[in-house]
């Protein structure tokens, strides 16, 4: 795995290839769907009819030319990727689709599979089977929806393997002269801790501690999340014990107790567990809010939950394509600035744990910092005592703190030594901050980071400087290579990167009518209110509207505009005028979806390049951890600090 194909130079060439493609095509991703008719977007970018685009996307499913095909034309042909060099409009849809695939992560061939990564992590002189807690039977689908269960099981095995790899290498290296930080005369494996940044509800943390007996610290900026994680962890511990008793009962003859006795130890196997599971499901639903679409609390209606996930993902895709009108800039210190529903719930289903209000450490008083540190230490001690020590496998400590690249982890976790840092769908700038911490902190031996919410990334070379003030550390670009080139994507392009190509390809995704309504509303605002922008948001009006006319009236009330200028007939006339052009919007948005993997790929290649630029990072790679149909943000960035050696 540490071959020349994954060398720093090779990754830089991949970045160059993607940049070259996006320099021609990125304007499509940065176009506003809301402005589609007011700015005549189709004619601005397209020289082919929309039906041709949709037909080519439907029929031409095998776009697998190598990137070199587009890089080695020499003087014989200028690189266009389907765009006319003079007009800058798309003239060859097939070539565009082929180029888009070739410059996505699958087309570039830069990722390794999860199985291949696990095999490499376990290939060591002191190879040991991956250790699990004796008797631990943890079925993640009992406590999570199918998406979260898939993510947690897949990622936890990688994290546990990273921890074991680092633990084994510490034993090997402590006997040598070049690594004296942990000198020991005992030939025992060193305990490696896990730090989950942006741990949210603590599903990954609980699973790692229950299944693999790892000491896990889950850090989240929201005290609500931390408290919920503690309570959920307590329940998981209870049911883990029930599972273990059930397992023991299957091996031991069961004595049926006299009628009326309620000792859990003597109840027939499985009966109390089922009672407890039903009770837990109810508690979890109360905990997380009635009616939430993200389905984080597992219910007995799995099919309904999955359908809700698909509906929420459709709403998410529409919200992304609506760009800034459905997804305002977030001031994370202000709860009132959170995006309107249903976008937030939809976002959480597909990509991220809920974004919580955060207070930067610089804004906390000294007393508050000390109080939080004290509470975290006390919580850690309680977690250890209540778990009964390492033997119980319940070693999870939820902590509350706002984390940045400058955060001193030892101020949050006392006596921290060696650790693996992980992040499952860390939002926006938190993902690059996780990688910066890994590089900067000596105690962090490896990292596994799965990011999401690219629209919340701050860009250093944003021309407006609104997203990343000069005094701040920005999330993109991360690598010195892209920073030297002052590369800039743009917010709408990063919004497009959040789209899920695989889901849209399977018919799950674009709610076209809502996008059409919003774009035609923008024409009405231009014609009758001289208003392209408003401080107020239209929000999720579509879900409540019974027709386009009803939609417009509701939107005008939301925007506090005078409705006397319009009538039902005038409003319906706009709908009828633009309805035949709805196919243009459908085709254009499919092109945006096609570009999404390329933009995401550049962001992730930038993060991988950053790790490869570090001298003390012996191994780094991109790995596909999840099924993209279940979890669209399926790629992880993995790095290992291993003195003197690389993974084979």
């Amino acid at each position: 795995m540490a071959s020349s194909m994954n060398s720093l130079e090779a990754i830089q060439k991949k970045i160059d290839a993607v940049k070259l493609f996006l320099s021609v095509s990125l304007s499509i991703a940065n176009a506003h769907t809301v402005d589609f008719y007011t700015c005549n977007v189709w004619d601005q970018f397209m020289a082919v009819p929309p039906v041709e685009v949709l037909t080519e996307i439907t029929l031409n499913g095998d776009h697998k030319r190598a990137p070199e095909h587009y890089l080695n034309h020499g003087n014989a042909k200028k690189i266009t990727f389907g765009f006319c060099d003079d007009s800058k409009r798309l003239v060859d849809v097939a070539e565009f689709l082929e180029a888009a695939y070739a410059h996505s992560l699958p087309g570039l061939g830069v990722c390794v599979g999860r199985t291949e990564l696990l095999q490499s992590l376990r290939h060591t002189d002191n190879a040991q089977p991956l250790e699990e807690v004796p008797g631990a039977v943890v079925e993640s689908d009992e406590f999570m929806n199918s998406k979260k269960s898939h993510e947690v099981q897949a990622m936890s095995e990688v994290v546990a393997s990273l921890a074991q790899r680092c633990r084994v290498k510490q034993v090997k290296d402590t006997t040598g002269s070049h690594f004296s930080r942990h000198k020991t005369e005992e030939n025992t494996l060193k305990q490696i801790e896990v730090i989950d940044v942006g741990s949210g509800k603590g599903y990954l943390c609980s699973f790692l501690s229950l299944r693999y007996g790892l000491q896990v610290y889950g850090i989240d900026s929201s005290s609500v999340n931390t408290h919920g994680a503690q309570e959920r962890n307590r329940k998981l511990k209870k049911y883990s014990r029930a599972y273990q008793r059930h397992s023991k009962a299957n091996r031991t003859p069961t004595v049926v107790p006299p009628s009326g006795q309620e000792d859990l130890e003597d109840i027939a196997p499985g009966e109390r567990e089922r009672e407890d599971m039903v009770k837990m499901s109810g508690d979890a639903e109360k905990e997380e809010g009635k009616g939430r679409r993200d389905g984080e609390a597992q219910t007995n209606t799995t099919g309904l939950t999955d359908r809700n996930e698909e509906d929420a993902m459709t709403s998410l895709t529409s919200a992304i394509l609506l760009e800034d009108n459905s997804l305002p800039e977030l001031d994370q210190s202000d709860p009132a600035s959170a995006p309107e529903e249903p976008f937030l719930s939809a976002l959480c289903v597909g990509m991220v744990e809920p974004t919580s209000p955060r207070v930067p450490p610089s804004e906390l008083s000294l007393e508050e910092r000390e109080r939080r540190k004290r509470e975290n230490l006390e919580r850690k001690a309680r977690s250890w005592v209540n778990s009964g020590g390492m033997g119980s496998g319940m070693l999870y400590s939820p902590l509350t703190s706002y984390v940045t690249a400058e955060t001193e982890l030892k101020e949050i976790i006392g006596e921290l030594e060696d650790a693996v840092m992980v992040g499952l769908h860390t939002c926006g700038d938190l993902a690059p901050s996780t990688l910066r911490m890994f590089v900067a902190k000596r105690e962090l031996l490896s990292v596994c980071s799965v990011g999401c919410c690219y629209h919340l990334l701050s860009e250093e070379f944003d021309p407006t400087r609104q997203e990343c003030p000069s005094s701040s550390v920005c999330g993109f670009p991360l690598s010195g290579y892209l920073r030297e080139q002052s590369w800039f994507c743009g917010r709408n392009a990063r919004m497009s990167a959040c789209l899920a190509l695989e889901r849209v390809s399977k018919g799950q995704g674009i709610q076209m009518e809502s996008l059409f309504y919003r774009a035609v509303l923008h024409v009405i605002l231009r014609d009758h209110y001289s208003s392209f922008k408003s401080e107020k948001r239209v929000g999720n009006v579509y879900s409540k509207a019974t027709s386009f006319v009803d939609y417009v009236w509701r939107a005008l009330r939301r925007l506090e505009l005078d409705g006397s200028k319009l009538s039902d007939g005038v409003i319906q006339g706009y709908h009828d005028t633009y309805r035949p052009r709805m196919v243009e919007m459908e085709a254009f948005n499919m092109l945006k979806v096609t570009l999404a993997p390329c933009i995401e790929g550049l962001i992730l290649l930038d993060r991988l390049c950053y790790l490869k630029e570090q001298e003390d990072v012996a191994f780094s790679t991109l790995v596909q951890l999840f099924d993209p149909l279940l979890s669209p943000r399926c790629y992880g960035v993995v790095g290992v600090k291993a003195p003197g050696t690389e993974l084979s």
Side-chain angles (χ1 to χ4, degrees):
M1 288 175 63
S3 66
S4 59
M5 291 183 63
N6 271 332
S7 66
L8 174 59
E9 294 75 15
I11 297 303
Q12 289 174 344
K13 287 182 180 179
K14 304 285 188 185
I15 289 175
D16 289 340
V18 179
K19 278 177 52 218
L20 187 60
F21 173 62
L22 290 179
S23 67
V24 176
S25 60
L26 197 62
S27 56
I28 288 180
N30 271 317
H32 285 268
T33 302
V34 169
D35 295 328
F36 192 78
Y37 298 121
T38 56
C39 295
N40 204 15
V41 169
W42 183 263
D43 290 338
Q44 182 180 347
F45 294 103
M46 309 298 297
V48 293
V51 174
E52 181 179 331
V53 174
L54 293 175
T55 300
E56 192 65 41
I57 289 174
T58 302
L59 299 179
N60 191 0
D62 189 18
H63 314 297
K64 296 185 179 179
R65 289 184 189 175
E68 289 75 13
H69 168 83
Y70 304 97
L71 296 176
N72 296 328
H73 290 306
N75 296 324
K77 178 184 176 183
K78 260 192 148 178
I79 299 171
T80 65
F81 306 112
F83 289 84
C84 173
D85 295 326
D86 297 328
S87 68
K88 310 302 181 186
R89 298 166 75 199
L90 184 64
V91 295
D92 188 334
V93 180
E95 184 169 347
F96 169 80
L97 295 177
E98 291 172 354
Y101 176 82
H103 295 93
S104 65
L105 291 180
L108 292 167
V110 72
C111 288
V112 301
R114 193 177 73 95
T115 301
E116 182 182 355
L117 175 67
L118 289 172
Q119 289 173 348
S120 294
L121 290 174
R122 294 166 187 171
H123 184 77
T124 174
D125 294 340
N126 295 336
Q128 299 284 337
L130 191 59
E131 298 174 359
E132 297 186 7
V133 175
V137 183
V138 187
E139 300 297 337
S140 61
D141 55 358
E142 296 284 356
F143 305 100
M144 315 168 205
N145 62 34
S146 58
K147 172 182 178 293
K148 183 62 68 177
S149 174
H150 170 67
E151 294 166 351
V152 166
Q153 290 197 63
M155 189 164 179
S156 64
E157 188 175 6
V158 171
V159 173
S161 297
L162 283 169
Q164 180 162 294
R165 173 77 186 193
C166 294
R167 192 162 65 238
V168 169
K169 290 199 70 60
Q170 286 288 28
V171 172
K172 180 179 178 181
D173 293 329
T174 52
T175 62
S177 60
H178 66 282
F179 191 71
S180 58
R181 185 162 61 91
H182 296 292
K183 286 183 179 178
T184 178
E185 295 182 0
E186 298 180 5
N187 190 25
T188 57
L189 296 183
K190 187 171 183 61
Q191 176 67 15
I192 301 293
E193 298 168 329
V194 176
I195 302 173
D196 184 1
V197 180
S199 56
K201 298 173 183 177
Y203 291 112
L204 178 63
C205 298
S206 295
F207 196 82
L208 284 168
S209 65
L210 277 168
R211 173 63 64 87
Y212 298 107
L214 291 167
Q215 173 67 62
V216 186
Y217 299 96
I219 304 177
D220 196 88
S221 64
S222 168
S223 58
V224 175
N225 277 348
T226 302
H227 176 75
Q230 284 180 297
E231 183 62 17
R232 190 172 297 103
N233 194 47
R234 181 187 65 80
K235 293 177 181 178
L236 283 172
K237 178 180 178 181
K238 173 182 176 182
Y239 297 116
S240 176
R241 289 172 175 170
Y243 277 126
Q244 292 183 43
R245 283 191 289 268
H246 176 53
S247 178
K248 184 186 298 184
N250 284 336
R251 299 189 301 268
T252 307
T254 302
V255 179
V256 180
S259 176
Q261 291 188 10
E262 295 296 332
D263 190 335
L264 179 62
E265 296 284 356
D266 297 329
I267 290 181
E271 292 299 323
R272 179 60 63 88
E273 289 93 311
R274 284 193 287 272
E275 286 182 28
D276 288 343
M277 284 307 309
V278 171
K279 181 177 183 297
M280 181 181 177
S281 296
D283 291 344
E285 286 183 355
K286 292 177 183 178
E287 228 176 84
E288 305 193 22
K290 294 180 180 179
R292 288 189 58 86
R293 288 189 176 184
D294 63 0
E296 293 288 7
Q298 175 71 10
T299 70
N300 292 326
T301 56
T302 304
L304 180 60
T305 300
D306 291 340
R307 288 197 297 274
N308 286 342
E309 284 191 19
E310 292 181 11
D311 294 343
M313 193 63 199
T314 299
S315 300
L316 165 65
T317 305
S318 301
I320 290 171
L321 291 169
L322 284 172
E323 289 109 4
D324 58 342
N325 289 276
S326 290
L327 186 62
E329 296 284 353
L330 294 182
D331 176 3
Q332 296 189 12
S333 65
D334 180 11
S337 69
E340 301 172 5
E341 293 291 350
F343 177 77
L344 182 57
S345 61
L347 184 67
C348 299
V349 168
M351 284 172 284
V352 70
E353 300 290 351
T355 303
S356 306
R358 295 175 170 179
V359 180
S362 59
E363 297 181 13
L364 295 174
S365 66
L366 181 61
E367 292 77 9
E368 176 65 13
R369 293 183 194 179
E370 288 299 319
R371 185 187 68 80
R372 289 193 178 192
K373 182 177 180 180
R374 185 170 60 252
E375 287 183 353
N376 286 337
L377 291 174
E378 291 172 355
R379 189 178 295 118
K380 175 185 174 183
R382 287 197 302 272
S383 175
W384 179 268
V385 172
N386 293 337
S387 69
M390 294 181 61
S392 71
M394 237 11 231
L395 305 168
Y396 167 37
S397 302
L399 308 173
T400 303
S401 180
Y402 179 85
V403 175
T404 68
E406 292 78 28
T407 299
E408 287 296 335
L409 294 173
K410 291 188 176 181
E411 292 184 1
I412 304 172
I413 305 170
E415 301 180 0
L416 177 66
E417 291 188 12
D418 297 321
V420 175
M421 175 162 278
V422 303
L424 174 54
H425 290 152
T426 45
C427 192
D429 283 348
L430 186 55
S433 291
T434 299
L435 298 179
R436 284 191 172 105
M437 277 191 285
F438 165 66
V439 169
K441 310 301 181 186
R442 194 178 177 188
E443 61 269 21
L444 299 179
L445 302 183
S446 63
V447 66
C448 181
S449 170
V450 181
C452 69
C453 300
Y454 303 125
H455 58 284
L456 296 179
L457 275 175
S458 59
E459 292 201 61
E460 182 176 358
F461 301 104
D462 171 19
T464 66
R465 304 299 298 176
Q466 292 179 352
E467 295 183 340
C468 187
S470 57
S471 59
S472 301
V473 177
C474 299
F476 181 85
L478 186 62
S479 68
Y481 188 68
L482 269 184
R483 292 185 68 203
E484 289 173 358
Q485 301 172 56
S486 303
W487 182 262
F488 173 70
C489 282
R491 186 171 186 270
N492 290 328
R494 287 182 282 107
M495 291 278 288
S496 297
C498 295
L499 294 168
L501 174 62
E502 289 81 7
R503 285 186 170 182
V504 173
S505 300
K506 297 293 184 181
Q508 309 172 26
I510 300 180
Q511 198 174 54
M512 194 55 59
E513 189 177 62
S514 66
L515 304 177
F516 172 71
Y517 278 15
R518 184 61 186 87
V520 178
L521 171 65
H522 212 53
V523 177
I524 294 174
L525 295 178
R526 178 197 64 185
D527 293 350
H528 295 274
Y529 298 94
S530 299
S531 173
F532 287 92
K533 297 291 181 182
S534 172
E535 292 183 359
K536 297 183 179 296
R537 307 277 175 181
V538 173
N540 186 30
V541 172
Y542 174 80
S543 64
K544 305 177 181 68
T546 58
S547 66
F548 179 71
V549 173
D550 185 37
Y551 172 87
V552 172
W553 288 126
R554 288 175 180 272
L556 293 177
R557 288 194 293 271
R558 177 71 64 86
L559 297 173
E560 298 181 359
L561 295 174
D562 181 11
S564 64
K565 297 181 179 183
L566 299 172
S567 65
D568 287 357
V570 170
I571 294 172
Q572 187 62 39
Y574 276 95
H575 177 276
D576 297 343
T577 298
Y578 285 94
R579 183 63 180 80
R581 295 181 58 188
M582 186 173 172
V583 66
E584 296 176 359
M585 176 176 285
E586 181 181 359
F588 193 81
N589 284 328
M590 286 303 298
L591 294 177
K592 277 193 166 189
V593 172
T594 303
L595 282 172
C598 307
I599 304 166
E600 178 182 36
L602 182 65
I603 293 170
L604 296 179
L605 285 171
D606 171 59
R607 294 174 184 177
L608 177 60
C609 185
Y610 171 74
L611 291 185
K612 291 194 176 294
E613 291 171 345
Q614 314 304 318
E615 292 183 359
D616 60 344
V617 177
F619 169 79
S620 56
T621 192
L622 288 176
V623 56
Q624 182 175 331
L625 292 170
F626 314 132
D627 179 347
L629 277 174
L630 284 173
S631 182
R633 305 283 75 78
C634 61
Y635 296 106
V637 182
V638 173
V640 178
K641 294 176 186 172
T645 59
E646 293 185 349
L647 295 181
S648 56

